[in-house]
Amino acid sequence: MQTTKLYIDGAFVAPAASGSFEAINPATETAFARIAAGGATDVDRAVCAARRAFDDGPWPTLPASARAAALRRIAAGIKARLPEIAAVETRDNGKPIPEAEWDIGDAAFVFEYYADLAEAHERDGATPVDVGDPAFTSTVSTEPLGVVGAITPWNFPMLMAVWKVAPALAAGCTVVLKPSEFCSLSCALLAEIIDAADLPPGVFNLITGTGPEAGAPLSDHPLVDKLAFTGSTATGRKIMTAAAAGIRTVSLELGGKSPFVIFADSDIDKAVEWIMFGIFWNKGEVCSATSRVLVERSLYPALLARLKQAAEAITIGAGDTPGVKLGPIVSKSQYDKVMAAIVAGKATTARLVSGGGRPDGFEIGYYIAPTIFADVPLEAAIWREEIFGPVVCVNPFDSEEDALTLANDSVYGLAGAVMSDDLERCERVAAKLRAGVIWVNCSQPTFTQVPWGGYKSSGIGRELGTAGFMAFRETKQITRYDHSQTWGWYLDPADPS
C-alpha cells in the first residue's frame, strides 16, 4: 500500500518522523491507502519555505497575467485528471461519483475564475481619492497579504481547499495547505497538479496530518500572516484564539443549522425535491444544509407524507455504484456522532417519520438511512445543533412572522431558504432572514462568482466572488504632498533663523 508524501518548497518529501495513517473507504470500512503524517517540524519547514517565497521570491511581484497563466495550467491539470480525482474522492469520502465529478469540475472553474479576476484587478490599478486639499493627492491600492495557512474540511476535500488556494495564489500570496486527515488524497493529487504547473518553489506547500499534530502548529506559527479555516465552530474558536495571539488576519467558515421556510402555495413536489437536495445531497455533510424545515400548517401533513415517500425511495449504496444518490458517512467517528444525535432525537417528543438507523441490507459501511423528524421540540438538540448527516427536522408555522421568528432563532447564520409562488413574499422573507446566503425557491446551489459566508457563529469573512480575492489582499493608501509648497507648521519660511 503506497504512502503519500508531503509537498514542501517545490519537492515531495517524507515527514520528518516518517509517520503515516490509513485512508479508510467508508463503504467497505477497509484501508486502501496510507497518508503521510506531518508534524510540527514539517509545518515549520513548509511555513519557512512559504515565507521565503513571499519575501524573496518573484510570486508576489509577478504581473497578474503571469500568475493567471499558472492558475490556468492548474485548472487544465484538474480537468485532465477529473475522472481519476473524482474516483479518489468517492473512495475517500463516500459521496456518489456524479457529486464528486461536479465538485472537481467546480474546482477547475475556481482556478479559471480567479485567474480572470487577478488580471482584471491589475488593470483597474490604484484608485485616486479626492481628500479635499489640492496640496495632497491620495491613491488606494492593494497588495498580497502574505503567507496563508489554509486548513480545510473533509466534506468537499478538493473543492474547499481550492476555495482558499486559488484566490490566495491569484492575489500573490503563498500557501501552506493542511487538509482534513479524513480525506487528504485529492489534495495530494492537487499538489501533483500544482507541481506540474511550474510555480516557484515554496509558493504552494501541502502538509497532511492530524489536527493536533499538524493543524495546531500551523495555526500557532508566527510566520503565518493569515489563517483561513473551514470546519466546525468548536475548532474555529481555537483557530481564532491562535490568530488573536499574533494579531493575525483570520477567515472562518463554520457550522450551520439553516432554515428552509415553505409556504402553502408551493408545489409539493418542487418543495420536496429542494428539501431533499438541501439535506441529503452529499449525505447531509454540508455546513449550509437546510436541516430545519418550516412548513405552513395547511401544507404540513401532505408535504410530510410526500417527503417520507420520496426519502424512502432514495437509492443508497457505495458511491461508485451507478444510480446511487446517498453514500456512506465519511468515517466511523462521524457515523457515531450522527447516530448519537438520532438516538437523542428519538428520546424527545419528536415524531420519527422515516429512517433513524442503518438501512436494511447494509451491515458493512457507515450507512445511515435518510432520517426525518417532525413536530420537533424547539429546545431539542436535533433542532438547534448541527448534525452534519442525512437528518432533517420539520415543524409547522402559522404566519410569515411566526416563520421568521423560528427561522432566525439560532446561534448560526450561514444560510437560509424560502419557497413560495408569491415572489414578493419570497423577497420580503429573504431580506429578513439573518444569514449570509439566502436561496429563493431552491436550496444549496453555490456559484463561484458570488460571496459565501455567514453571520453569528457561522463564521467571519467571505469566500468566493470578488470578496474571496480581496480577502487575500492588504489595502494601502499612499498620500503625496506637493513638494513645491512649504508646510510651515514648526518652521516659519519667512524667518531664516
Side-chain angles (χ1 to χ4, degrees):
M1 193 179 295
Q2 189 173 6
T3 302
T4 66
K5 291 189 175 182
L6 311 179
Y7 185 69
I8 300 174
D9 206 15
F12 291 96
V13 297
S18 300
S20 66
F21 53 92
E22 293 179 331
I24 304 295
N25 183 337
T28 63
E29 302 184 39
T30 58
F32 66 97
R34 297 199 68 85
I35 310 299
T41 299
D42 306 300
V43 168
D44 183 64
R45 288 176 59 203
V47 172
C48 288
R51 184 82 264 165
R52 287 191 303 272
F54 185 82
D55 292 341
D56 305 322
W59 188 254
T61 57
L62 282 176
S65 58
R67 292 199 299 270
L71 265 63
R72 292 187 182 110
R73 292 194 295 272
I74 297 170
I78 293 172
K79 289 179 179 179
R81 300 178 66 176
L82 192 153
E84 172 194 1
I85 301 168
V88 164
E89 287 231 331
T90 290
R91 186 178 292 185
D92 212 9
N93 171 275
K95 66 178 67 187
I97 276 282
E99 293 184 15
E101 291 173 339
W102 191 350
D103 294 347
I104 306 309
D106 277 354
F109 177 75
V110 172
F111 276 104
E112 293 171 338
Y113 172 79
Y114 282 108
D116 292 343
L117 198 60
E119 291 177 325
H121 182 76
E122 185 171 77
R123 285 194 300 270
D124 290 342
T127 303
V129 178
D130 184 353
V131 295
D133 187 332
F136 294 92
T137 58
S138 290
T139 57
V140 175
S141 60
T142 67
E143 60 187 31
L145 192 153
V147 175
V148 175
I151 301 175
T152 57
W154 45 258
N155 56 334
F156 297 92
M158 179 181 278
L159 184 57
M160 293 293 98
V162 165
W163 278 19
K164 294 168 176 53
V165 171
L169 294 179
C173 296
T174 58
V175 179
V176 179
L177 170 64
K178 207 300 279 186
S180 168
E181 57 266 39
F182 290 115
C183 291
S184 300
L185 287 170
S186 61
C187 286
L189 295 179
L190 178 63
E192 293 179 7
I193 291 166
I194 292 177
D195 181 67
D198 199 28
L199 277 64
V203 169
F204 173 82
N205 305 270
L206 174 71
I207 299 292
T208 52
T210 67
E213 297 298 320
L218 180 58
S219 301
D220 293 336
H221 204 292
L223 298 183
V224 171
D225 297 304
K226 175 185 173 75
L227 291 168
F229 172 75
T230 296
S232 71
T233 299
T235 303
R237 290 190 182 98
K238 296 177 182 178
I239 300 286
M240 193 168 182
T241 299
I247 317 296
R248 290 173 291 161
T249 302
V250 63
S251 60
L252 304 172
E253 201 266 88
L254 306 176
K257 193 71 177 176
S258 302
F260 192 172
V261 178
I262 298 173
F263 287 92
D265 61 351
S266 301
D267 178 274
I268 286 184
D269 280 352
K270 290 178 181 178
V272 167
E273 172 68 29
W274 285 113
I275 290 170
M276 292 171 60
F277 195 78
I279 188 60
F280 300 140
W281 175 59
N282 207 54
K283 306 163 287 171
E285 296 170 346
V286 182
C287 51
S288 59
T290 39
S291 56
R292 288 187 299 136
V293 176
L294 294 156
V295 183
E296 195 166 7
R297 194 174 297 275
S298 61
L299 184 65
Y300 188 64
L303 184 140
L304 275 174
R306 183 71 181 94
L307 180 61
K308 170 182 169 65
Q309 178 189 43
E312 291 176 354
I314 292 175
T315 303
I316 303 171
D320 56 2
T321 302
V324 162
K325 292 292 179 68
L326 187 73
I329 298 297
V330 68
S331 66
K332 177 65 163 59
S333 60
Q334 184 62 21
Y335 172 86
D336 289 343
K337 289 177 184 177
V338 176
M339 287 303 300
I342 291 172
V343 169
K346 291 177 180 178
T348 72
T349 58
R351 174 162 54 102
L352 181 64
V353 175
S354 185
R358 249 184 205 281
D360 292 339
F362 289 92
E363 288 73 29
I364 302 297
Y366 309 129
Y367 292 97
I368 296 176
T371 297
I372 304 166
F373 283 100
D375 307 324
V376 183
L378 299 184
E379 71 278 5
I382 55 170
W383 182 257
R384 308 200 70 83
E385 297 176 9
E386 185 175 48
I387 296 174
F388 226 65
V391 181
V392 64
C393 296
V394 190
N395 271 334
F397 69 86
D398 294 303
S399 67
E400 183 175 316
E401 293 73 20
D402 180 31
L404 282 165
T405 298
L406 292 168
N408 288 328
D409 183 20
S410 174
V411 298
Y412 297 108
L414 180 55
V418 56
M419 176 172 280
S420 172
D421 284 346
D422 183 344
L423 297 184
E424 288 186 5
R425 176 162 58 187
C426 285
E427 295 302 322
R428 191 167 61 242
V429 171
K432 293 180 180 179
L433 288 171
R434 294 286 296 162
V437 179
I438 304 297
W439 294 291
V440 173
N441 288 326
C442 60
S443 177
Q444 303 309 310
T446 303
F447 299 97
T448 304
Q449 300 91 334
V450 288
W452 179 272
Y455 295 5
K456 299 184 278 187
S457 292
S458 288
I460 295 172
R462 294 294 181 268
E463 296 185 302
L464 300 184
T466 303
F469 177 78
M470 296 306 296
F472 296 99
R473 303 281 290 184
E474 288 279 24
T475 300
K476 175 181 284 185
Q477 63 125 316
I478 299 178
T479 296
R480 305 161 184 84
Y481 180 60
D482 181 356
H483 197 51
S484 67
Q485 301 185 41
T486 301
W487 186 237
W489 184 268
Y490 292 103
L491 302 178
D492 184 353
D495 183 3
S497 64

